[in-house]
Amino acid sequence: MAVFAVFQTTFLLALLSWRTYQSEALSEPLPLTPESLKVSINSTQQCLHLQWSVHSLAYHQELKMVFQIEISRFNTSNVIWVENYSTTVKWKQVLHWNWESELPLECATHFVRIRSMVDNARIPEPRSWSSWSSWEEVDERNSLGHGALFVFPKDKLVEEGSSVTICSISRSYQNNVSCLLEGVQMRGEQLDPNVSAFHLNNVPFIRETGTNIFCTTGRGDGTGTVLFVSKVLEEPRDFSCETPDFKTLHCTWDPGSDTGLPKRQPSQSYTLFESFSGKKILCEHKNWCNWQVAQDSQEMYNFTLTTENYLRKRGVNILFNLTHRVRPMTPFNVVFKNISDTNATMTWQVHSIGNYSTLFCQIELHGEGKVIQQHNVSIKVNGNYLLSELEPDTQYMAQVRCGDANHFWKWSEWIGKNFSTLEAAPSEAPDVWRNVKSEPGYQTVTLFWKPLSKSHANEKILFYNVVIENLDEPSKLQLHSIPAPANGTKLTLDQCSYQIHVTANNSVGTSPASVIVVSGDTGNKVEEERVNVTEDGFSMSWKPQPGDVTGYVVEWCDHPRDLPCDLQWEKLGPNTTSTVISSDAFIPGVRYNFRIYGISTKRIAYLLEQKTGYSQELAPSDNPQVVMSNLTSHSFTLSWKDYSTESQPGFIRGYHVYLKSKEGECHPGFEKAILPDDSVSCKYKIYNPEQKTFVVENLQPESFYEFFVTPYTSVGEGPLDAFTKVTTPDEHSHLLIRIILPTVFCVLLIMIICYLNSQWMKEKCYPDIPDPYKSSVLSLIKSKENPRLTIMSVKDCIPDAIEVINKPEGSKIQFLGSRNSLTDTEITQPAYLYLLPTEKNSSGPGPCICFENFTYNQAASNSGCCGHVPVPPEAPSQLGLLTSPENLLKVLENNYMNSLGEIPAGETTLNYVSQLVLPLSRDKDSLQTDPPVPALCSEYKMQMAIPLGLASPPPNEKSSVSSVTLLDQGEPHH
């Protein structure tokens, strides 16, 4: 006991003395200067590593101190970094501190010093810093070697998007260094005569093998480095853990981008740490990891998932209850039993997750690529469910998945299987409609039906049966079998009423019958109305019908311009009096006609209403062909009665009549309008689409106008075509027409009458020239020497005289070969110019045969006879035949042509008198020496008329008979 008392007293004294010492130490500032400062370089991390200690601390003394660190570059006065470092210092403790430099440490000399201050609340203010330690110099340039150019850092690893400083060291003071980043020039700054720095901000990731930097000097020395750029290490996302059987926890996450670089940095690693148990595992996979559940029934888990690489470290954590993170394993052994045409039983099994666990399973039934049924059921180990309301002969796919029913977390994976129901007869009657056309004595009925849907057909439809029953004679039935896939048939029936049954048939059986009644009555006619159009389609309604109506049918054509028009219909219930008809086949600008039928209790359809409309109206596609009529000086009429409005792409609301004039003024009722071609015209608007005539009035006579007619709809008017030009006539032109037309008519009538009597007119006015072959004078010629001669030729006729016929006028006659002229007073009677030669002993002209043609000279016929006029005896002796008859005619013709200009316009003419001589048997030359003696003259009169100018005057101007001397062709003319 005494020993214990002594020990206790000693301990208390020591403790008191220690507290006294501590109190004195804290009450006075102590000179705790850092000592033993050492600085080293970590080239890989580009860090300055500092270590020091505080030797002034007492034994087992702990003080909270602040150390201020200064770092200078190139010289001690160039301070680049100042930082305060706080820590608790113990006796003989070696302190460490790192500083990462932006500029590679190899490129500059660094100086470091440090001082300290006690950071204790017991020490009153102001507190003072200790003295600075001495500068510690660090310079790596001395160990670089003898190269001309160096580039740092070497093979540095950085993150994408970070900033990096590249430096170059040149041994030459005349430094001219340029650096390229992947061939792109970098801008730098001169730090000292030998060092240049190049700053890169937001460094991009180019390739896994690194980014190349190459520098050169002005002397051609060059070197480079590789910058390894890593993807940024991301924090794991969607970190989650779950158990399928309370034995294993399966943890998963999204790792994000892989930061691994070949030969420089491996992919980031993942570590799973559970804080309650203190266990830690290194995950072998980058996106999942398994954790074995402890057998001590631990329910709460706190996991921390850490990922790291050479550059950084990130982590996430979760806290959960194990019983709330149950995800069952996928069910197995799915089987379908008791399959019929509409039902099937599905069974499956699940993995056990504990004796107390109940699973909640979900079943989905897929048909035609979509979910058609969904069911939920709770099970322990085995599950089954009855799938009903299925379609016959249909393939389905059913799948199942399960989850924990107590604390639902997630569903298990799906497991499914396909199955098909059995075949069955069609379950629904075909949708049937008809089109009836009545003809005299018979009616044509076209039946249409829509194909049954797959759910109603229950199998492939093979054929359709059409049974026709005559209601007037029910015992008469007709059966028509129509092979599928036909959707209609045509029947020719008489005017009786018929009931038609249509059924669809497959390999199993027959569908219910669709019944329709066709009556011989043609039905009533109703007026057509316009239907309203909405965004959903054609909206139509009708009045409810009194009496019993079993339904209504709306009928239309999807393609009214085609034949057949693709008839469509929609059947509605008896209480429905409106509907909206829509179709993908409806196109703008096409008129669609709708017929609404009521169905009576006897299944007879009767027409209720007719409607028409456009899904979208358009402007007219063409303009009418306008006919102009009744043109007067003040008006004209336009008409376009043949213009059809049914084929237009919209309802014609009326017409626009455009009129242009040179004056540019608009008549009453017209208004000025600007056409699409920017021209100005006058427009008259016709509001009645049935009006197809228009009278343009108030026009000016003899004026030029242009008109154009176009229809318009609710959208716009028709295309702009060419204007038709018209000029109004004079005001009095109609009076001239009333005079000219009858006159022209009378002239035409006279010409027609004259033409019809042309033969009579020909005989009376211009008879035919006699045919010498048919002349009766030939019978007078009887030549014994040449009996074969029957036709008189000009060569055989020797002219003997020219008869001068003149009337008392003051004209002069110029004769051949003479410059003298005779006045009409000197010639008072016809004179004959003898052309035939005469013998010396002849006392006068011999007998001759004379001819006269009244066609050539009507005046000569009044002379009565062509007999010779007595002439003096000396006249014939003065004549001589100096040429042949042929040359005579030529001379006469030439002299006639030359004397035409000398003959005044008068009535004096010469008649050529010919005599017929006997045929000659000798040649023509003998005529000059031995002329024949003419025979006795006949009464055939003058043949031609010769102008008087062809005769020459007689030697004696007082004589009434002139002679002509004819020269031979070879004799010169004087």
Side-chain angles (χ1 to χ4, degrees), residues 542 550-554 570-579 581:
W542 55 91
T550 60
Y552 299 94
V553 176
V554 180
E570 181 179 340
K571 292 185 177 180
L572 304 168
N575 299 323
T576 303
T577 57
S578 64
T579 187
I581 303 298

Side-chain angles (χ1 to χ4, degrees), residues 646-911:
E646 298 292 331
S647 60
Q648 294 303 313
F651 289 114
I652 300 300
R653 304 295 179 92
Y655 301 90
H656 289 160
V657 179
Y658 290 95
L659 184 67
K660 289 182 180 180
S661 62
K662 290 185 178 180
E663 294 78 10
E665 297 181 357
C666 295
H667 300 157
F670 286 82
E671 60 182 8
K672 284 195 174 182
I674 299 177
L675 299 176
D677 60 355
D678 296 332
S679 62
V680 180
S681 177
C682 297
K683 180 177 73 174
Y684 184 88
K685 194 169 186 178
I686 300 175
Y687 294 95
N688 182 12
E690 301 300 326
Q691 178 183 342
K692 296 184 179 181
T693 59
F694 180 72
V695 178
V696 183
E697 299 177 324
N698 302 318
L699 305 180
Q700 297 297 324
E702 298 183 284
S703 298
F704 178 76
Y705 295 93
E706 294 179 272
F707 65 86
F708 168 62
V709 179
T710 181
Y712 66 90
T713 64
S714 61
V715 178
E717 61 182 13
L720 179 64
D721 287 341
F723 278 70
T724 303
K725 301 176 182 180
V726 61
T727 301
T728 55
D730 185 17
E731 287 186 283
H732 305 291
S733 60
H734 63 283
L735 298 176
L736 297 176
I737 293 176
R738 292 180 180 178
I739 297 173
I740 293 174
L741 288 180
T743 304
V744 172
F745 177 77
C746 293
V747 171
L748 291 176
L749 183 61
I750 293 173
M751 292 177 64
I752 292 172
I753 294 174
C754 293
Y755 177 76
L756 295 177
N757 296 276
S758 59
Q759 295 298 327
W760 181 82
M761 294 289 293
K762 182 177 181 180
E763 294 177 358
K764 297 298 183 182
C765 298
Y766 48 95
D768 293 337
I769 297 174
D771 188 352
Y773 290 94
K774 300 178 180 180
S775 177
S776 59
V777 73
L778 296 177
S779 60
L780 301 176
I781 302 174
K782 295 181 180 180
S783 176
K784 294 181 180 181
E785 297 179 358
N786 191 0
R788 292 177 296 176
L789 183 61
T790 57
I791 300 175
M792 181 183 67
S793 176
V794 175
K795 298 178 181 181
D796 301 326
C797 182
I798 301 173
D800 60 348
I802 294 178
E803 178 187 4
V804 179
I805 300 175
N806 53 3
K807 293 184 180 180
E809 291 184 7
S811 60
K812 294 183 179 181
I813 301 174
Q814 184 72 32
F815 292 93
L816 278 172
S818 174
R819 296 174 184 245
N820 299 327
S821 61
L822 299 176
T823 62
D824 54 357
T825 56
E826 294 174 347
I827 303 174
T828 57
Q829 59 182 351
Y832 283 90
L833 304 182
Y834 291 92
L835 302 180
L836 289 177
T838 57
E839 297 181 357
K840 295 180 181 181
N841 298 330
S842 174
S843 61
C848 67
I849 301 175
C850 295
F851 302 92
E852 183 179 10
N853 192 331
F854 296 100
T855 302
Y856 294 102
N857 193 341
Q858 185 65 29
S861 62
N862 297 326
S863 61
C865 180
C866 62
H868 296 290
V869 178
V871 293
E874 65 274 11
S877 62
Q878 297 175 359
L879 298 176
L881 184 60
L882 302 179
T883 186
S884 64
E886 298 95 316
N887 294 332
L888 173 63
L889 293 178
K890 291 180 181 181
V891 172
L892 292 176
E893 180 181 356
N894 293 333
N895 287 307
Y896 166 70
M897 295 302 296
N898 293 330
S899 60
L900 285 178
E902 301 178 4
I903 300 175
E907 296 297 331
T908 302
T909 62
L910 293 178
N911 290 335

Side-chain angles (χ1 to χ4, degrees), residues 50-69:
L50 281 67
Q51 67 177 23
W52 71 94
S53 61
V54 180
H55 299 297
S56 302
L57 285 177
Y59 179 72
H60 293 308
Q61 185 180 6
E62 292 185 4
L63 286 178
K64 187 176 182 181
M65 299 182 69
V66 177
F67 299 93
Q68 190 174 67
I69 304 169

Side-chain angles (χ1 to χ4, degrees), residues 15 88 150 190 230 260 284-285 401 452 498 567 611 666 713 722 727 748 757 789 794 820 870 898 920 941 947 963:
L15 180 63
T88 300
F150 301 91
Q190 197 76 25
S230 167
E284 298 179 357
H285 305 279
R401 64 182 178 177
L452 292 175
Y498 288 89
L567 184 68
K611 297 180 181 294
C666 295
T713 64
T727 301
L748 291 176
N757 296 276
L789 183 61
V794 175
N820 299 327
N898 293 330
L920 303 177
K941 297 183 180 180
S963 64

Side-chain angles (χ1 to χ4, degrees), residues 393-583:
D393 190 31
T394 304
Q395 185 175 6
Y396 295 95
M397 192 277 288
Q399 60 183 8
V400 62
R401 64 182 178 177
C402 297
D404 187 11
N406 298 320
H407 303 284
F408 181 81
W409 166 243
K410 287 182 180 179
W411 292 108
S412 69
E413 296 293 336
W414 286 104
I415 182 172
K417 194 173 183 180
N418 297 329
F419 71 98
S420 298
T421 55
L422 301 180
E423 299 175 353
S427 58
E428 187 173 305
D431 186 0
V432 180
W433 187 235
R434 90 293 177 275
N435 184 18
V436 181
K437 291 184 178 180
S438 295
E439 303 292 342
Y442 68 95
Q443 55 184 340
T444 301
V445 179
T446 305
L447 295 178
F448 302 92
W449 55 79
K450 297 178 181 179
L452 292 175
S453 64
K454 187 176 181 181
S455 60
H456 295 143
N458 299 333
E459 194 193 348
K460 181 179 180 181
I461 300 299
L462 301 179
F463 59 92
Y464 295 89
N465 281 335
V466 179
V467 179
I468 305 171
E469 179 183 359
N470 191 329
L471 296 180
D472 297 334
E473 300 179 13
S475 60
K476 292 185 177 180
L477 298 177
Q478 300 180 35
L479 174 62
H480 299 269
S481 182
I482 312 300
N487 59 356
T489 186
K490 184 177 290 186
L491 306 173
T492 301
L493 306 174
D494 55 25
Q495 296 295 337
C496 298
S497 297
Y498 288 89
Q499 182 170 275
I500 302 174
H501 304 254
V502 180
T503 59
N505 299 263
N506 61 14
S507 61
V508 178
T510 302
S511 71
S514 180
V515 181
I516 191 169
V517 176
V518 177
S519 174
D521 187 9
T522 58
N524 58 326
K525 294 184 178 181
V526 296
E527 293 186 1
E528 190 175 68
E529 301 176 359
R530 293 186 180 181
V531 65
N532 296 324
V533 181
T534 64
E535 294 181 355
D536 299 328
F538 291 94
S539 177
M540 56 188 67
S541 61
W542 55 91
K543 297 179 180 179
Q545 297 302 303
D548 296 332
V549 177
T550 60
Y552 299 94
V553 176
V554 180
E555 170 191 286
W556 74 94
C557 284
D558 268 351
H559 306 283
R561 295 179 178 176
D562 299 336
L563 291 176
C565 70
D566 191 10
L567 184 68
Q568 301 293 324
W569 66 93
E570 181 179 340
K571 292 185 177 180
L572 304 168
N575 299 323
T576 303
T577 57
S578 64
T579 187
V580 176
I581 303 298
S582 62
S583 173

